[in-house]
Amino acid sequence: MRILVPCKRVPDADQRIPILSDGSEIDRSNLSYLVNPFDAIAVEEALRIREVTGDVEVIAVSVGPLECEKELRTCMAMGADRGILVDFHAPLDPWNVASALVEIVKRELPDLVLMGKQAVDDDANQTGQFLAARLGWPQATFASQIDFNGQSVQVARETDAGIETVTVQLPAVVTADLRLNEPRYASLPSIMKARKKPIETLAFEDLGVSVEPRVEVIKVEAATSNRKCVIVPSTEELIRRLRDEAKVL
Amino acid sequence: MSLRANNIFGGRPALSFNDLPIDQSDAFTSQRSDIQLETTKYLADRTLSNNAFDVIVVGGGVAGLSTAMQLAMRGTRVLVLEREKIGNGSTGRAAGLLGQLRGTVEHTRMLMEGLKVVHRLEQEADLKIFVQTGSLRIAETPARAEEIRSLVRMGKSIDFQIDHISREEVASKLPYMKTDDLVDACYCPTDGHLQPAELVQAYMKVGRSNGVVYRSDCPVQGIALGDPGPHTVSTHDGEYQAPVLVNSTGPWSYGVAGLVGATLPTAALGNYYLTTHPDPDHPVDTMSPAIRDRHHRIYSRPENGGLIVGMYEAEPVEYNTETLPVDFDMSAMKPARDDFNVALLIHSAQQRFRWINERTPMSITTGIMTFTPDGKPFCGTMPDAAGLFHCAGFCGHGIVQSPAIGLIMSQLILDGESSFDIAAIEADRFFDLDGYSDRSEIKKRCYDMYASYYGSTEGTSGTNKN
């Protein structure tokens, strides 16, 4: 069995991210990058399925600049068997990433595509859905639990209305949500082993797809916070403010 | 230098702790770090009436905050300038282990006195800072056992509470730890850890009650030493003057010294620790003793139902703070999942705590420490910059030393001398010696010090890399 795990290289969302003075995009000059946290959860789930099921190959794939090799090595150090890097330098929107992934799926013929529900830099939450639709495959998004049953997977999906459980026949696309699992760190032996695992680099053009940008970024600006913190001298004053100013009592 | 009796307040306090008026409107306890940061920002954004002070403390970590508090308690008008958020540098990454027993009698005495300062701080600030879990040192080889014997002898000679304990006693105190290979251990019941956030709050609460002014997000861009004083410190917010400056900037301390053309032999080196999430299969009593296992280069203490395990590895990560962005946020440092140092930490932790592995639910904390060539901080002035008092280089032991160090710094600044024996930590101890003005030589010596910090046997020469 083969599981394909698309992984995105993203700036660490916990760091301070400056914006270029012309508002065109973020200032990448001093940023640290990592594997999109939801994709790390997907890698972890693929590894757990392998632990239970046995004969499973886990392939990590990244679409982006050559620096993505670092994130692919992280996935392989966690336990993925090999990596594929589709080299592309300009920013890509979800539609075009999905276009590239369609071709990778055709090449690798995975039984399951397991990926993060969204990337923490754009929060688009579209690539998995586009991919499933373009492949004509069933999809189960926002997975908080996955039970692999051979020809199908049962997925508990976290929605705003509650948990919905669906069964999808393989091959399928499943996107991972936060509570699906807690990803492992890499052990010393698996870091060493990963150095010898192969990464295949393909040029975007070699996939035979053309880039059709569907999203144009017009402006990037910092979110401002008007949050104030006031220390009140007494409980009576606190109650007065909650009642008369915040009007929550 | 005369050794006066160790009167904590130096013999002529302007105020003692018991006299402090605590402004009730500022009473707060902080359970969440974001509330704490908002509150310290509130405390920091006070309107300044003028920009002349008696002392300007550059660097708002525990070293600077403790010094500012002690100075203000003696009537000094103090300004604290912090590059980013107060307490958010090395201080905010610290595990806070408090082991009073150090390599020398003088240093141990200093920490014992520091603990008394903490007890008074707890009363005055109404905060629980010190958690007295006791601490253990364990030995798995004859060399480490000899180390423990010598520490027990030294501790007993100064009436410090310490004794050998059996392997069975260790196992009963720490059921989650591997103990079958131990050949000796010693237990110090008066040790424990300081909670860094509460310590910072206490320093600020008492400091502010005594008039300390705090500015955060205020990096120092330049320092002009007046000849004679006062000295001028420039920031984006304007200039401030004081006859005395304190350089308590930790990993940035050598760069700040460089602003006046001075050389401070410190270096910035990384450290990692893991904190396991509470696990009912591996319960960790919150009052379990801290342990130091030098053979595996690890230290450990309980935290909220889980376990902190940190390491002094043989090949630390080096940082150059002069090339980091000026608003570098240490709390945002995050290692990759395949970070080699993390894997090494987990591997080392596993040697002692068999249940810990790369799958164990945990968080990894990484930060930057300030190391020195001999493992001791630099406290005081140097001949190349009169009126600039250094207070940096705590080699991962800033939290624990800060209560005593603040007192010592206030004595040096206000009295010109200290009631403690501070020969080993004087700032100018390397001033004229070969190699201590060369940056690459300094870095190498600090690196070697870190690498041998736990690796070498205490009290003997040479390193033991086993």
Side-chain angles (χ1 to χ4, degrees), chain A residues 4-236:
Chain A
L4 187 72
V5 186
C7 291
K8 188 176 183 186
R9 169 181 159 89
V10 296
D12 180 3
D14 289 332
Q15 70 191 319
R16 204 158 291 146
I17 300 189
I19 297 176
L20 294 177
S21 48
D22 64 358
S24 58
E25 64 159 323
I26 62 178
D27 178 359
R28 295 177 188 271
S29 49
N30 264 325
L31 293 184
S32 46
Y33 286 79
L34 38 66
V35 174
N36 179 36
F38 295 109
D39 296 332
I41 291 173
V43 171
E44 173 64 28
E45 195 65 18
L47 299 175
R48 290 187 187 194
I49 293 174
R50 181 170 70 193
E51 275 159 17
V52 164
T53 314
D55 185 21
V56 175
E57 187 188 23
V58 177
I59 308 167
V61 56
S62 257
V63 185
L66 291 172
E67 286 85 351
C68 292
E69 172 167 348
K70 181 168 148 297
E71 279 64 45
L72 284 173
R73 289 272 165 223
T74 299
C75 296
M76 295 194 295
M78 287 172 69
D81 297 295
R82 58 185 167 93
I84 301 173
L85 200 168
V86 180
D87 177 20
F88 193 82
H89 305 283
L92 286 170
D93 56 46
W95 181 257
N96 290 283
V97 173
S99 303
L101 291 177
V102 164
E103 299 309 312
I104 302 296
V105 166
K106 285 189 202 161
R107 278 171 118 239
E108 300 293 338
L109 303 174
D111 304 276
L112 176 64
V113 176
L114 191 47
M115 58 201 281
K117 66 172 180 176
Q118 66 198 51
V120 297
D121 54 356
D122 59 14
D123 278 349
N125 183 5
Q126 296 168 354
T127 308
Q129 291 90 327
F130 282 152
L131 180 59
R134 301 270 292 275
L135 292 170
W137 286 10
Q139 60 181 269
T141 52
F142 317 124
S144 63
Q145 187 165 324
I146 299 177
D147 293 302
F148 175 73
N149 297 319
Q151 300 305 316
S152 65
V153 284
Q154 180 176 292
V155 178
R157 305 180 55 235
E158 285 202 11
T159 77
D160 289 338
I163 309 266
E164 176 190 52
T165 306
V166 298
T167 303
V168 289
Q169 301 302 312
L170 297 181
V173 175
V174 177
T175 72
D177 209 326
L178 188 65
R179 277 163 281 278
L180 178 58
N181 63 49
E182 184 151 349
R184 68 194 64 187
Y185 286 91
S187 66
L188 279 179
S190 77
I191 290 176
M192 296 307 176
K193 267 195 242 159
R195 293 183 184 168
K196 300 203 185 78
K197 291 178 180 173
I199 293 183
E200 188 188 359
T201 306
L202 306 168
F204 199 101
E205 301 72 46
D206 292 347
L207 298 179
V209 291
S210 55
V211 177
E212 320 158 1
R214 291 191 165 211
V215 175
E216 182 197 342
V217 175
I218 298 175
K219 186 167 65 155
V220 177
E221 54 188 21
T224 50
S225 166
N226 288 321
R227 187 174 140 205
K228 281 179 153 72
C229 183
V230 180
I231 299 193
V232 290
S234 66
T235 319
E236 290 72 25

Side-chain angles (χ1 to χ4, degrees), chain B residues 181-324:
Chain B
D181 60 336
L182 299 186
V183 302
D184 201 354
C186 65
Y187 178 58
C188 309
T190 60
D191 278 348
H193 60 271
L194 299 179
Q195 306 197 92
E198 280 73 5
L199 184 61
V200 166
Q201 276 184 55
Y203 285 147
M204 289 189 77
K205 202 169 179 186
V206 176
R208 199 175 151 272
S209 308
N210 284 274
V212 178
V213 177
Y214 303 91
R215 300 286 308 212
S216 57
D217 293 308
C218 198
V220 165
Q221 295 164 332
I223 299 177
L225 294 180
D227 183 18
H231 312 306
T232 304
V233 174
S234 359
T235 73
H236 61 79
D237 246 5
E239 292 183 343
Y240 303 98
Q241 274 94 29
V244 170
L245 307 179
V246 176
N247 175 15
S248 51
T249 55
W252 281 261
S253 55
Y254 58 91
V256 170
L259 288 178
V260 302
T263 303
L264 187 65
T266 58
L269 296 167
N271 194 256
Y272 295 76
Y273 64 80
L274 59 87
T275 309
T276 66
H277 299 334
D279 178 354
D281 291 334
H282 303 285
V284 176
D285 190 310
T286 52
M287 293 302 289
S288 305
I291 73 128
R292 287 171 183 78
D293 179 355
R294 293 170 63 101
H295 182 66
H296 291 116
R297 298 174 169 269
I298 59 172
Y299 57 89
S300 168
R301 71 160 176 87
E303 169 69 10
N304 266 340
L307 194 65
I308 283 180
V309 185
M311 181 174 191
Y312 287 97
E313 61 268 69
E315 294 176 4
V317 176
E318 297 178 85
Y319 291 90
N320 183 359
T321 50
E322 292 184 291
T323 59
L324 292 178

